[in-house]
Amino acid sequence: MTTPVVSIAYHSGYGHTAVIAEAVREGAAAAGATVHLIKVDEIDEAQWELLDGSDAIVFGSPTYMGTASGAFHQFAQDTSQRWFTDSWKDKLAAGFSNSASKSGDKLHTLQFFATLAAQHGMHWVNLGLKPGWNSTEGSEHDLNRLGFFSGAAAQTNSDEGPEGVHKADIATAEHLGRRVAETARTFIAGRAAAA
């Protein structure tokens, strides 16, 4: 069985989003993937090559002023070299974001990631979870407690450091990592069968 390769291309301004990136990594690794964590504001040529060789790329950024961070936008712009050569065409893609507010316009960040993936001809992997914490029997400890479908969304209070990232959001990010790795394995097997 082929081991899927999943790369997590992310930016973290104050460390909160790095906690989520690590949770995605843990979930993907637990599902048997080889995983690379790549900080987009420190990316080098060897890391670009890791992205090019990946079966799936998971995009991550805090949501600042209604969209991904400036560092992530610079990375997205720099991916145009890959766009010209279709380097990422037919790879899988997914995304995650963190902000201080429960909504905080994280959906816009996830949509930005999905559009970036679509421009590269990638296939988007959604969260695959029903919303949690939306009934009297639910709680803030439910997976997908914030009710996002497009990707993993996290909320951390603005006066807390990375240690304040909610445990349910960490578990939701781990779920996303597993889902991406499992979907990548299915895609790899399907391509092999079709060949």
Side-chain angles (χ1 to χ4, degrees):
M1 183 182 298
T2 303
T3 301
V5 178
V6 176
S7 287
I8 302 161
Y10 76 99
H11 174 247
S12 184
Y14 299 97
H16 307 89
T17 308
V19 171
I20 300 301
E22 177 59 28
V24 173
R25 187 203 65 75
E26 288 180 12
T34 297
V35 188
H36 306 291
L37 277 175
I38 297 171
K39 296 179 180 180
V40 300
D41 55 333
E42 300 174 5
I43 194 166
D44 59 26
E45 191 54 41
Q47 291 172 324
W48 280 111
E49 290 173 10
L50 287 176
L51 292 173
D52 294 345
S54 298
D55 299 298
I57 302 172
V58 184
F59 302 125
S61 170
T63 295
Y64 293 153
M65 303 308 292
T67 189
S69 67
F72 193 93
H73 275 269
Q74 182 61 57
F75 163 77
Q77 182 175 324
D78 292 343
T79 69
S80 63
Q81 293 180 29
R82 271 67 194 165
W83 180 84
F84 281 113
T85 59
D86 287 330
S87 299
W88 294 358
K89 187 175 183 181
D90 292 327
K91 293 183 185 300
L92 299 179
F96 60 91
S97 187
N98 180 76
S99 71
S101 298
K102 298 290 189 284
S103 171
D105 291 321
K106 287 185 278 282
L107 177 59
H108 186 262
T109 301
L110 293 171
Q111 289 171 332
F112 168 70
F113 293 156
T115 300
L116 174 64
Q119 289 193 349
H120 281 284
M122 302 170 82
H123 303 285
W124 189 258
V125 178
N126 60 46
L127 186 58
L129 285 175
K130 297 282 195 281
W133 200 20
N134 66 355
S135 72
T136 56
E137 296 180 6
S139 83
E140 68 173 301
H141 305 291
D142 292 344
L143 286 179
N144 196 20
R145 70 185 181 110
L146 300 176
F148 283 76
F149 293 89
S150 299
Q155 179 271 331
T156 310
N157 293 328
S158 62
D159 57 353
E160 290 185 288
E163 72 285 348
V165 176
H166 201 285
K167 300 271 190 274
D169 298 340
I170 293 171
T172 300
E174 289 173 354
H175 169 87
L176 178 66
R178 284 191 302 275
R179 181 168 167 83
V180 169
E182 290 164 0
T183 304
R185 180 172 284 109
T186 300
F187 262 61
I188 292 167
R191 287 185 183 123

